[in-house]
Amino acid sequence: MSTATTETKPNNNCLVVSKMSLMGHEQVVFCQDTETGLKAIIAIHDTTLGPALGGTRMWNYANEQDAIQDVLRLSRGMSFKAAISGLELGGGKAVIIGDANTEKTEALMRKFGEYVDSLGGKYITAEDVGMSTKDMEYVRMETKHVTGIPESMGGSGDPSPVTAFGVYMGMKASAKYKWGSDNLDGKTVLVQGIGHVGENLVKHLTEEGANVIINDINETRLAELAEQYGATIVMGDAIYDLDIDIYAPCALGATVNPDTIARLKCEIIAGAANNQLADEDRDGQLCSDKGIVYAPDFLINAGGLINVYSEIKGYDREHAINQTRAIYDTTLEILKKAELEDITTHAAALEIAEQRINDRKNA
Ligand code: NAD
C-alpha cells in the first residue's frame, strides 16, 4: 500500500486513511469502539459518479489484513458495477470483523451506524453477508445513509429476485451471442448455490423449459427445490465434470479457475456470485481460449444494486425491473466488443465502466 496518508479524528476513535493508491481508493476508514467491541472498515473506492454505495459484511476474518483486502476488492467492484449499470453512484463497501452469530448486538450495529453517519452521506450502506434486515433497522436509528430497508418500512425489500432477473437476462443475452437464439428451452443449466438469488434463477429457468441441475451444501434445501421445480441434484465437486450448456455460479467467488476451467464442458458461464474469476486476467483469458462465453459478474448481478438505487430515488419496482432488463443489451454489447477488440469479456466490461467514470472526471 504505497502512498497512504493517515489522519486521526479525535472525537470518534476513527482512523482515516486517504489517498490509497493500491486500487485507487479515495478513502478507507478504520472504526474501533472498545465499549461495543466494534471493529469495522469502510472503504470508499470512487465517488465520481455519486455517493459510494455498498453493503456491510460481517465475517470472522482470520486477521485484519484479510478484512482489508476483502473490503478494498469488494468496494472497487461496486464502483464498476454502478458505472456499467448507468447509475449515479460510486463504489463502497464495509466489513465488520467478528462472528455474526455470536458477536453482533444492537449497540454494535448502532455504533457502526454512527460511523456511517460521520461520513455525511459519502458512503451509503446496505445489507450483505452476515447482516439481517433487523441489523439495518439498528443502523437506520443512527443514520439515514442506509438503503435496502424492508418494504414494511417503505423500502425496497429483498433485492435478490431483481438480482436473479438480471442474471437471467445476462444469461439469455450470452445464449443469443453464442447460439444465435436466446431460447433456453431444453438447455442444461447448472445452478451452484440455491440461496436467495439461486432459487429465483431456478424459477425463471424452469419456467422457460431448461433442464436445471442444482448444487448446494444445504441438503434440505436441495431436496425442497428438487421437489418444487423438478430439478436434478448433483452434490460436491462432481459438478465441474458434467455435460452442461451453462454454468451459473450463485454461491461463492473464485470458482472459475484453471482447475475448473479445464474440467468444465459448458459453453457459457453466467451467474450471480461476485468475483467469479479467481484471477481476472488469467481466468478470463482461459475461458476465452476454450470458447466459453463468460458473462462478467459485476455486470449481470447488478439487479440488486439497481433496485436499492431506485429506493434512494423514490422506489418504483417497475422502473427497477426495466432498468435491470437492460442488462440483456449491455451484455450483448460487451460480448461483441470483446470479440471485436480481441480482449476478454471481463476486460471489455471493465473498460466501459472505467470509461464512464473517467469521462465524468474529465467533464
Ligand atoms: P445466499 O447466502 O442466500 O445463498 C448462497 C447459497 O450458496 C446458500 O444456499 C449456501 O448454502 C450455498 N453455498 C455456500 N457454499 C457453497 C458451496 N461450497 N457449494 C455450493 N453451495 C454453497 O446468497 P445470495 O443472496 O443468494 O447470493 C448468492 C451470491 O450472489 C453471493 O455470492 C452474493 O455475494 C452474490 N450476489 C447477491 C446479490 C443479492 O441481491 N442477494 C447481489 C449481487 C451478488
Side-chain angles (χ1 to χ4, degrees):
M1 254 166 244
S2 36
T3 72
T5 58
T6 60
E7 100 198 31
T8 306
K9 273 192 178 175
N11 293 336
N12 58 5
N13 262 339
C14 188
L15 180 71
V16 180
V17 180
S18 50
K19 301 194 183 84
M20 302 286 302
S21 66
L22 187 61
M23 298 185 209
H25 285 75
E26 287 178 15
Q27 191 175 28
V28 180
V29 183
F30 292 82
C31 312
Q32 188 153 337
D33 180 66
T34 40
E35 226 164 88
T36 59
L38 175 73
K39 259 185 157 183
I41 309 166
I42 301 172
I44 296 173
H45 178 255
D46 195 289
T47 56
T48 307
L49 299 175
L53 193 149
T56 297
R57 174 170 294 195
M58 185 160 184
W59 195 254
N60 217 351
Y61 292 98
N63 53 55
E64 283 181 21
Q65 199 51 45
D66 283 1
I68 293 169
Q69 270 307 111
D70 205 29
V71 78
L72 291 181
R73 210 170 38 96
L74 289 165
S75 53
R76 172 179 173 266
M78 292 306 293
S79 292
F80 300 138
K81 192 182 296 200
I84 204 153
S85 307
L87 308 178
E88 297 296 300
L89 285 177
K93 200 88 184 178
V95 296
I96 298 177
I97 302 171
D99 188 330
N101 294 318
T102 57
E103 293 175 59
K104 201 165 48 176
T105 59
E106 174 179 346
L108 181 137
M109 289 314 304
R110 291 184 71 160
K111 180 55 76 176
F112 175 70
E114 281 181 29
Y115 281 118
V116 171
D117 200 60
S118 75
L119 293 166
K122 197 171 177 188
Y123 169 66
I124 303 173
T125 198
E127 233 181 287
D128 197 67
V129 176
M131 286 292 130
S132 70
T133 313
K134 187 83 201 150
D135 300 323
M136 287 301 118
E137 285 176 28
Y138 293 139
V139 173
R140 176 85 171 176
M141 289 173 190
E142 306 300 334
T143 182
K144 62 176 193 285
H145 305 299
V146 51
T147 186
I149 55 170
E151 284 169 281
S152 57
M153 290 174 75
S156 58
D158 178 11
S160 309
V162 189
T163 301
F165 179 64
V167 171
Y168 178 54
M169 288 296 102
M171 190 183 282
K172 282 179 79 67
S174 304
K176 174 83 180 161
Y177 172 80
K178 185 74 184 174
W179 302 313
S181 161
D182 66 11
N183 190 353
L184 300 178
D185 189 4
K187 296 291 182 194
T188 302
V189 186
L190 161 67
V191 180
Q192 178 190 38
I194 45 164
H196 291 95
V197 180
E199 177 176 359
N200 282 289
L201 181 61
V202 169
K203 190 163 177 284
H204 287 297
L205 291 169
T206 45
E207 274 170 9
E208 194 173 335
N211 306 313
V212 181
I213 298 174
I214 51 176
N215 169 267
D216 204 290
I217 47 173
N218 183 334
E219 293 185 26
T220 315
R221 249 187 101 65
L222 279 171
E224 278 169 12
L225 264 67
E227 164 91 21
Q228 194 174 343
Y229 298 102
T232 308
I233 300 172
V234 176
M235 298 292 293
D237 194 56
I239 51 170
Y240 299 115
D241 303 309
L242 296 172
D243 218 352
I244 54 171
D245 297 302
I246 301 172
Y247 167 44
C250 297
L252 313 160
T255 63
V256 183
N257 54 52
D259 170 48
T260 58
I261 297 167
R263 293 163 63 190
L264 279 167
K265 297 189 181 78
C266 63
E267 292 189 85
I268 291 171
I269 297 175
N274 287 311
N275 304 312
Q276 290 167 30
L277 302 174
D279 181 298
E280 290 173 8
D281 296 333
R282 178 197 64 197
D283 301 327
Q285 192 58 52
L286 285 175
C287 284
S288 165
D289 292 346
K290 207 177 165 184
I292 298 175
V293 173
Y294 167 72
D297 48 11
F298 68 89
L299 163 66
I300 71 166
N301 74 9
L305 180 65
I306 293 169
N307 200 53
V308 293
Y309 176 70
S310 169
E311 180 179 317
I312 297 170
K313 295 281 169 191
Y315 190 52
D316 178 346
R317 190 169 179 90
E318 206 181 311
H319 185 256
I321 294 282
N322 281 333
Q323 212 172 348
T324 303
R325 200 184 302 280
I327 287 175
Y328 184 104
D329 289 338
T330 314
T331 304
L332 262 183
E333 183 194 333
I334 277 156
L335 299 182
K336 286 176 187 162
K337 175 182 164 70
E339 183 181 337
L340 204 70
E341 297 177 16
D342 196 18
I343 55 176
T344 67
T345 55
H346 183 86
L350 210 56
E351 227 179 82
I352 291 184
E354 282 176 329
Q355 183 74 45
R356 183 162 174 246
I357 296 171
N358 290 335
D359 285 352
R360 180 68 62 85
K361 265 189 188 140
N362 301 328

